Amino acid sequence: MKVQLQHNGRKISYNIAGSGKTIVLLHGFLESQKIWEPFAAQLCKSFKVITIDLPGHGDTEVFGETHSMEFMAAMVKSILDTQNIEKAILVGHSMGGYVSFAFAKQFPERVHGLVIFHSHAAADTEEAKMNRSRTIQVVEDNRIGFIKNFIPDLFAPENTESLKDQIELLKAQAEQTPKAGIIAALKGMKERSDNTALLDEIKSPVLFIIGKKDKRISISQVMEQAIAPAHCEVLLLDGVGHMGYLEAPRLTLTTIADFCRKI
Ligand code: MLT
């Protein structure tokens, strides 16, 4: 069921289906809740599944010049409040993972588990911040050109031919993201806090999903973070870049479902 509600005077959009333990699926930068449709269709047979368009993406409006990870996390909480859901397992792809950490920091008692899907807990390095500023300029000048180059680069090179239709679809969906939404997300990611200390304290189980060919995330950095939580599991994927939900859909879906079932 598609739901739209007002948050701070603007429209937010999410989907809810199924019953049981709650799983919240959070998309990454330039994506929308649409990416989770195949996962949600399976998971909702055993769980309550919520997929959310994060601010400035999909059908959720732009709220300001910067969409901080904390702001996005507060939006997730307000959806859980509206649905009277006490605790949820958050599954965050990339930027969605940053939002999941911001949520776990602000509302630890609401977290049942975390699935950090091609993401990590650290802040941007100084170099990454400079790259973000350059990216903002590129998006200002040529949003469509940026999307055209950005999306294929998220995949392991050996997958780009077999997944060319999905890549075209992702590009078309990313093109629906308004310039203001793209820039607000880039600014939010650039300013995000370092949440690595949280990993030492976190009581909820954590699953990291890592693509060995991910160019956007440092694998050694994530592996180091995965040692910290009291209960942590790792799925390390060969021949996968940043898009495991398309590059290894069966394995990532069953691993998430098994993790959610047992915690
Ligand atoms: C994403 O896929 O959400 C972003 O690439 C993450 C990032 O740029 O740090």
Side-chain angles (χ1 to χ4, degrees), residues 19 62 101 116 119 127 159 166 173 180 220 223 234 237 253:
S19 61
V62 175
F101 279 121
I116 303 302
S119 192
E127 191 190 348
N159 297 331
Q166 282 94 329
Q173 287 170 2
S220 52
M223 294 300 276
V234 176
L237 297 162
L253 172 61

Side-chain angles (χ1 to χ4, degrees), residues 27-31 93-96 98 118 120 124 132 150 154 186 189 192 216-217 242-243:
H27 64 79
F29 175 59
L30 287 179
E31 297 170 341
H93 179 240
S94 202
M95 183 179 79
Y98 306 154
H118 304 316
H120 63 96
D124 268 5
R132 295 266 188 223
F150 183 83
L154 299 171
L186 287 166
M189 289 193 282
R192 76 182 188 281
R216 298 211 57 82
I217 305 289
H242 193 63
M243 304 299 266

